[in-house]
Each structure stands twice: as C-alpha cells, then as structure tokens.
Amino acid sequence: MSTTQSERLRELLEPLVSSQGLDLEEVAVDSVGRKRVLRVVVDSDSGADLDQIADVSRALSAKLDETDAMGAGEYTLEVGTPGAERELTEHRHYVRATDRLVKFQLAESGELIARIIEVDDDGIDVEVPGVKGRKPTAKRLALADVVKARVQVEFNRKNKNDDVQDVQDVQDVQDTEDNEENAEEA
C-alpha cells in the first residue's frame, strides 16, 4: 500500500501538534516555482493564538530538520489556522462553528444558509434567518444529509454580548445621571 507524502507527513507531525493541545486539520505540500511549501493547518475547540502557532511551528520545524520527510530540496513551512470561511468536514468542526452562520449544501434539498444552534451525534439544530421581517425558524439537519458546509463571514452581526453590554451602558448612564443629581442636591 502506497502512501502519499502528505499522509506520511501527517503521521509524523500529528503527535507533535497534539502534544501542543491542538488538532492537525490539514497537511499539504505545494510547489511554488522552484520551491515547495509545506502548509500545516491547526485548530482547537478554543482556537489557536499566535503563541501556540509559533510554538507548534518551532516543534514541527525541529522534527522536520531531524528527518528526511521533506527530502533534500528547499521548502518553506507555513503553520496557520483554518481561516474565517472554513469548510466543515468533521463533527468537531460543526461543534466549533456553533452560533456561526453556515452555508449548507444538502443532498436532497439544495442549499441552505442557517445558524448552527446545537450539534449532537445525530445531527445539527439550525436557525434559518427570517426574510423580510419574518421570524427565524428552527430546523434539524441530519449529518448524513450534509454534502458540504462552509462558515460564512458576517460583518454586521450584532454579538449576543453586545445586547448585554448595551443594557449595561444604559444602566451606567442612568447611574451617572442619578449620582450627578444627588450631588447637586447635597
């Protein structure tokens, strides 16, 4: 049984990535002119910050230097995260995308854009946004019915925490006004 270079690299690098508390999402070797680029994509349930990426990059670089996994030619190692519009292919990807807007390609009913509310072993509970002032509707998707899914970038979405902050800001203004009135009366 023949394995590709990417599969061999995955077997070599996955234990190092896991030891850093991250998941190895993708390994790809691409040719760019005369050079090769080894792209490694990592992630975790809480995301990966720059320090974690730097640590894993150093560990992977050291491991690659001590082996001949990339051969004798020059290459560049790039370590990063999946990005904002990531494709969802694993159960853990759907869990990580909870509360995100996702474009689903469904086997039977075509395309659907909906927000992931909850994910379990059997399927995904989503909320389909209402159109023209209508309320959003809940829907259940079976994981087996999802052919493809990709997170959508939202620029104008109001964060749930913003509502809480708005209420707190109003309360702070009211408290300040009350304190000023009490100070003037005294």
Side-chain angles (χ1 to χ4, degrees):
M1 181 171 125
S2 174
T3 59
T4 66
Q5 183 179 24
S6 292
E7 289 169 340
R8 288 189 306 271
L9 286 166
R10 177 177 280 281
E11 289 174 13
L12 176 71
L13 303 178
E14 196 156 27
L16 286 171
V17 172
S18 295
S19 73
Q20 301 284 329
L22 300 170
D23 295 317
L24 180 60
E25 297 293 348
E26 184 180 334
V27 175
V29 181
D30 299 312
S31 294
V32 180
R34 292 185 219 170
K35 287 190 173 184
R36 293 173 300 147
V37 177
L38 171 57
R39 288 187 176 89
V40 177
V41 178
V42 298
D43 201 7
S44 76
D45 289 345
S46 59
D49 64 28
L50 288 175
D51 291 333
Q52 287 176 300
I53 291 173
D55 291 344
V56 88
S57 182
R58 282 188 289 276
L60 297 180
S61 181
K63 184 67 166 182
L64 290 166
D65 287 348
E66 70 184 41
T67 68
D68 66 343
M70 286 299 293
E74 283 187 41
Y75 69 92
T76 301
L77 172 62
E78 294 180 359
V79 179
T81 59
E85 291 184 349
R86 71 182 62 183
E87 188 169 347
L88 308 176
T89 57
E90 304 277 336
H91 185 270
R92 70 177 180 263
H93 298 165
Y94 291 97
V95 173
R96 291 174 184 165
T98 298
D99 202 37
R100 301 286 308 272
L101 195 64
V102 175
K103 184 177 186 179
F104 295 94
Q105 183 65 45
L106 303 173
E108 297 292 322
S109 55
E111 221 173 69
L112 173 70
I113 296 178
R115 186 168 314 285
I116 294 177
I117 303 302
E118 190 174 342
V119 180
D120 58 37
D121 292 339
D122 300 322
I124 308 164
D125 292 323
V126 298
E127 181 180 81
V128 181
V131 180
K132 295 183 181 179
R134 293 188 179 131
K135 291 186 177 186
T137 56
K139 186 170 181 148
R140 175 83 174 165
L141 303 176
L143 285 170
D145 293 341
V146 177
V147 175
K148 187 176 183 181
R150 184 174 299 276
V151 172
Q152 301 296 288
V153 175
E154 296 179 85
F155 292 107
N156 295 323
R157 180 169 185 228
K158 190 170 185 173
N159 188 341
K160 287 192 287 189
N161 294 334
D162 291 346
D163 292 335
V164 173
Q165 187 59 49
D166 289 347
V167 170
Q168 185 61 46
D169 289 346
V170 168
Q171 184 63 44
D172 289 347
V173 168
Q174 290 172 344
D175 289 347
T176 302
E177 290 172 353
D178 290 344
N179 289 340
E180 288 171 358
E181 286 177 15
N182 290 338
E184 288 174 7
E185 291 174 4

